[in-house]
Amino acid sequence: MTAHAKVRASAAFVLERTLDSRAPVSTFLDGALERCDPRDHALLRELVLGTLRWLRFIDHVLVAAAQRPLHRIQRALLAPLRIGAYQLFFLDRVPPHAAVNEAVEQAGSRTHAGGASFVNGVLRRIARSPRRDDWPAEPGDLTTRLGIRHSHPDLLVERWLGIYGEERTVALLGANNLPKPLHLLAFRDRGGRALLAEQLIDDDVGVEPSVLAPHCVTVRWGNPLTTDAYRQGGFYVQDEASQLAAIVPPPVPGERVLDVAAAPGGKTFAVLAEQPDVQSIAADVSLGRLVTMRRNAGRLKLRPRLLAADSLALPFGPVFDRVVVDLPCSGTGTLRKHPELKWRISAAEIERLSAEGLAMIRGASECVRPGGLLVVISCSIEPEENEAVAAAFLESRIDFRRRDLLVDLRPPAQEHVAGPGLWRLLPAADHDGFTVQVLERGDD
């Protein structure tokens, strides 16, 4: 088996396991990468994540080209067909004959000569019309047309059309299908991102300052994880939107901060990058995740106090200036990084996660001192998982109110204030989407 054939076989394995389970794609992709030649890592990631992003559009094309419904295509042939079709539509560097031939060989090894012949016929039909516009959805319902063309489930398209309107929804769908660049968090008290950029450029890593988050650099080429800067704890890998969300509003020196559901540490690290003079405690219910956070903090030479504790029963009274809660959510702001989530979201799951989030807020709120802040963060852009949860909390707690963020923030963060106490960044450009709600406890 050639090196390229091994990569495509690994991609098929990861794709099938991801779609057959509810585990993150990284559960299977990370192991496949370890078994793969480092020179092929980029191709393996591209085949897996790209095919997951465009799954609905690809299946739409396969049904048309095969002239049969998807459930009548032999299951073992689906992964080679999907990966082959992805290459024909989206990878210019792979010649069409190579994409078809390797899918045919893989199909033959998985089934029989008839299966290989079927894959050959379907992919050669697609190769003759390799533009997306050659395979339009049937005229009719706007939700379904957008869902097929931009490869999203009707559930999300319909919700976003109702919330954001057609123009913003189309932009959102397009952003979710873009590859995700790597973002790095630099630390202000170690020279900030300018010094980090100099160190990385010296190691042949191409970076540039990110647009939104003040301590973020975007990687354009090269591998920063093999550099001295990484080994010496000079940065943490974290999305730009996640970095910015953690400092809404910016912390001040001397603040006592409790980070709830803290592991693997991104929020705490982003707060310390902005303001190293805070007193930080990070709590998480998972010992395994806390071990990961301790390892991350050790490499970064940071020393937040770590605590194993359930957010529903935290061992503190109302003593913290700021309590940050990371809500469980559907992750609809991070679909470009986790495209498998698109195919698992349901209304029932959003409802379940919202109920869990409300319970967490109620537990964490008991640790906010009078005059302190309850900062509620999620990587969801769904109002049910954010505004509705905070509204339900505020109905029962008249001592909390939404804070005026226009006073706290400056551009560009200020431009994303979406209402009283509400900050939302939709996925766009290079970044993910996040929602932050800031509730202030009244003085007793």
Side-chain angles (χ1 to χ4, degrees):
M1 184 181 290
T2 66
H4 281 179
K6 288 181 182 177
V7 172
R8 286 163 179 79
S10 295
F13 167 79
V14 174
L15 185 66
E16 287 178 336
R17 294 297 302 272
T18 301
L19 293 174
D20 287 346
S21 74
R22 294 191 64 80
V25 63
S26 59
T27 304
F28 311 107
L29 181 57
D30 290 351
L33 288 169
E34 289 179 4
R35 297 187 292 273
C36 177
D37 188 315
R39 292 171 296 183
D40 294 323
H41 282 186
L43 177 60
L44 179 54
R45 285 196 186 92
E46 175 76 42
L47 293 177
V48 171
L49 298 179
T51 303
L52 284 170
R53 286 190 188 105
W54 288 100
L55 187 65
R56 187 178 184 187
F57 171 74
I58 288 171
D59 285 352
H60 161 77
V61 173
L62 291 179
V63 167
Q67 299 179 331
R68 66 181 66 174
L70 206 64
H71 71 268
R72 288 190 55 209
I73 297 175
Q74 192 174 351
R75 187 175 177 281
L77 300 179
L78 280 176
L81 280 168
R82 285 165 165 164
I83 292 169
Y86 175 74
Q87 294 170 86
L88 292 173
F89 280 109
F90 299 103
L91 288 192
D92 292 340
R93 67 178 183 270
V94 178
H97 69 272
V100 173
N101 289 343
E102 291 188 358
V104 169
E105 287 180 15
Q106 194 177 48
S109 68
R110 286 171 157 241
T111 56
H112 45 70
S117 177
F118 173 76
V119 168
N120 184 53
V122 171
L123 291 182
R124 289 196 182 282
R125 204 165 296 137
I126 296 171
R128 288 194 288 272
S129 303
R131 298 180 309 126
R132 286 171 60 207
D133 289 343
D134 295 332
W135 304 86
E138 293 292 327
D141 180 65
L142 176 64
T143 297
T144 301
R145 280 193 286 115
L146 290 176
I148 291 174
R149 178 164 180 76
H150 297 283
S151 196
H152 279 66
D154 283 353
L155 172 71
L156 288 180
V157 178
E158 186 173 20
R159 292 171 61 82
W160 293 344
L161 283 171
I163 299 168
Y164 302 115
E166 183 174 346
E167 184 176 349
R168 294 181 77 191
T169 295
V170 170
L172 182 53
L173 298 174
N176 284 343
N177 287 328
L178 295 173
K180 179 77 178 62
L182 203 61
H183 289 133
L184 310 179
L185 171 69
F187 292 84
R188 186 164 61 88
D189 61 343
R190 303 179 196 174
R193 64 182 179 182
L195 181 59
L196 174 63
E198 290 178 16
Q199 294 170 335
L200 292 172
I201 290 169
D202 286 344
D203 275 338
D204 200 27
V205 177
V207 297
E208 59 187 40
S210 303
V211 175
L212 297 173
H215 310 299
C216 185
V217 296
T218 303
V219 178
R220 294 305 182 193
W221 72 81
N223 184 0
L225 303 184
T226 61
T227 63
D228 286 341
Y230 176 77
R231 287 187 285 272
Q232 294 167 5
F235 64 83
Y236 182 66
V237 177
Q238 185 177 20
D239 178 77
E240 179 180 21
S242 174
Q243 294 183 30
L244 190 56
I247 54 173
V248 173
V252 298
E255 264 194 38
R256 290 163 296 173
V257 179
L258 174 63
D259 183 0
V260 178
K267 298 187 305 301
T268 289
F269 301 153
V271 167
L272 290 170
E274 166 69 16
Q275 182 47 261
D277 295 327
V278 301
Q279 302 173 43
S280 180
I281 296 180
D284 200 285
V285 72
S286 166
L287 283 175
R289 286 168 59 83
L290 279 173
V291 169
T292 300
M293 183 171 179
R294 184 172 63 179
R295 186 164 57 243
N296 291 336
R299 183 183 63 79
L300 295 169
K301 300 179 177 60
L302 299 174
R303 292 181 176 80
R305 291 173 58 193
L306 305 185
L307 174 71
D310 190 328
S311 61
L312 306 183
L314 292 162
F316 302 109
V319 298
F320 288 93
D321 302 302
R322 175 189 305 235
V323 176
V324 183
V325 185
D326 189 0
L327 293 183
C329 70
S330 59
T332 53
T334 62
L335 297 181
R336 63 196 301 180
K337 186 167 57 183
H338 303 294
E340 74 277 13
L341 295 178
K342 281 195 284 193
W343 317 117
R344 299 171 181 173
I345 289 171
S346 69
E349 183 68 357
I350 289 175
E351 184 177 353
R352 184 187 69 79
L353 291 166
S354 301
E356 280 188 21
L358 178 58
M360 287 182 66
I361 293 176
R362 284 176 170 153
S365 67
E366 301 300 333
C367 303
V368 181
R369 70 162 175 81
L373 301 180
L374 179 61
V375 180
V376 183
I377 300 178
S378 91
C379 58
S380 163
I381 57 173
E382 310 308 311
E384 292 94 329
E385 295 178 286
N386 294 291
E387 294 98 305
V389 172
F393 170 75
L394 291 171
E395 280 183 5
S396 61
R397 292 295 298 266
I398 60 172
D399 54 334
F400 280 86
R401 60 180 178 271
R402 291 186 174 276
R403 185 178 174 96
D404 182 3
L405 293 175
L406 289 173
V407 176
D408 292 319
L409 301 177
R410 291 181 294 180
Q414 190 186 61
E415 296 162 6
H416 299 281
V417 174
L422 176 64
W423 183 91
R424 175 166 286 140
L425 183 64
L426 295 180
D430 288 332
H431 59 76
D432 286 336
F434 270 76
T435 302
V436 181
Q437 297 180 92
V438 182
L439 310 179
E440 186 174 24
R441 189 171 190 174
D443 294 320
D444 286 347

